[in-house]
């Protein structure tokens, strides 16, 4: 198993994984999420970016999953201590490969990516209904630091 930055040649595999991710999200929060395709231009932009990456897991030339990570800075507000951090925007593993430690390996690769860029921490968002993902993140020392709340009107 190998983890490496995605190339333009990986776009179709990444699009297939996004389709899986969005379908999973639509099942967890059907009132807010729907199955969809990811825009190819968006994927290409991330791959070509100097500040962002899509780290893919490959085995025998087959893409098993990916993590999209972005370099971010905290907002320039007087009340916020400035930090440079990695935002783990998306992570998805093929359903057949889940539960085999690939997500853990991807998160460790994101951690190495962030350390190499002198970032201070990794941040992510997760749907509260995604219990398996929450369990994985907590086991890897992620902790809750903010809550997003909604009120229907």
């Amino acid at each position: 198993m190998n983890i490496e930055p995605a190339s333009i040649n990986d776009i179709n595999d990444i699009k297939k994984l996004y389709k899986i991710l969005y379908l999973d999200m639509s099942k967890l929060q059907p009132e807010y999420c729907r199955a969809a395709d990811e825009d190819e231009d968006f994927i290409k932009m991330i791959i070509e970016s100097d500040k962002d990456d899509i780290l893919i897991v490959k085995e025998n030339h087959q893409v098993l999953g990916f993590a999209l990570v972005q370099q971010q800075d905290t907002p320039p507000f007087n009340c916020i201590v400035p930090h440079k951090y990695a935002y783990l925007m998306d992570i998805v593993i093929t359903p057949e490969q889940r539960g085999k430690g690939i997500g853990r390996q991807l998160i460790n690769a994101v951690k190495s990516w962030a350390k190499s860029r002198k970032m201070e921490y990794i941040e992510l968002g997760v749907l509260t209904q995604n219990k398996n993902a929450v369990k994985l993140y907590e086991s890897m020392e992620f902790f809750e630091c903010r809550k997003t709340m909604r009120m229907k009107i």
Side-chain angles (χ1 to χ4, degrees), residues 49-107:
S49 170
D50 292 334
K51 289 185 143 194
D52 310 323
D53 263 316
I54 298 175
L55 303 177
I56 58 171
V57 178
K58 278 188 176 179
E59 187 172 64
N60 300 325
H61 306 290
Q62 181 182 2
V63 177
L64 306 178
F66 75 81
L68 189 159
V69 61
Q70 299 180 309
Q71 178 179 314
Q72 303 224 342
D73 295 305
T74 51
F77 301 130
N78 290 339
C79 63
I80 295 178
V81 177
H83 291 279
K84 183 176 167 183
Y85 66 98
Y87 185 74
L88 179 53
M89 184 174 184
D90 295 314
I91 184 168
V92 60
I93 311 299
T94 61
E96 311 81 53
Q97 297 297 322
R98 292 178 186 167
K100 297 181 179 180
I102 295 172
R104 186 174 295 279
Q105 290 178 39
L106 267 173
I107 292 169

Side-chain angles (χ1 to χ4, degrees), residues 1-145:
M1 205 168 315
N2 187 36
I3 298 177
E4 61 193 42
S7 72
I8 297 300
N9 297 331
D10 299 310
I11 288 178
N12 285 332
D13 290 321
I14 292 167
K15 285 177 68 174
K16 288 176 190 172
L17 287 164
Y18 261 117
K19 198 169 192 99
I20 292 167
L21 175 65
Y22 294 155
L23 179 62
D24 288 347
M25 291 170 61
S26 74
K27 291 176 183 175
L28 293 171
Q29 286 192 356
E31 64 277 14
Y32 299 109
C33 301
R34 63 178 171 218
D37 293 317
E38 184 52 85
D39 181 60
E40 192 168 312
D41 290 336
F42 170 75
I43 297 169
K44 186 177 179 188
M45 180 188 70
I46 297 296
I47 289 171
E48 293 175 346
S49 170
D50 292 334
K51 289 185 143 194
D52 310 323
D53 263 316
I54 298 175
L55 303 177
I56 58 171
V57 178
K58 278 188 176 179
E59 187 172 64
N60 300 325
H61 306 290
Q62 181 182 2
V63 177
L64 306 178
F66 75 81
L68 189 159
V69 61
Q70 299 180 309
Q71 178 179 314
Q72 303 224 342
D73 295 305
T74 51
F77 301 130
N78 290 339
C79 63
I80 295 178
V81 177
H83 291 279
K84 183 176 167 183
Y85 66 98
Y87 185 74
L88 179 53
M89 184 174 184
D90 295 314
I91 184 168
V92 60
I93 311 299
T94 61
E96 311 81 53
Q97 297 297 322
R98 292 178 186 167
K100 297 181 179 180
I102 295 172
R104 186 174 295 279
Q105 290 178 39
L106 267 173
I107 292 169
N108 283 329
V110 168
K111 188 175 179 180
S112 295
W113 182 92
K115 280 183 176 182
S116 74
R117 293 166 179 252
K118 309 277 191 268
M119 295 182 191
E120 299 174 59
Y121 58 88
I122 301 168
E123 187 171 286
L124 59 80
V126 60
L127 299 180
T128 54
Q129 295 87 345
N130 195 343
K131 304 294 184 203
N132 289 334
V134 170
K135 186 177 174 182
L136 169 64
Y137 301 143
E138 288 175 346
S139 77
M140 295 193 72
E141 300 182 12
F142 282 87
F143 56 89
E144 191 175 306
C145 62

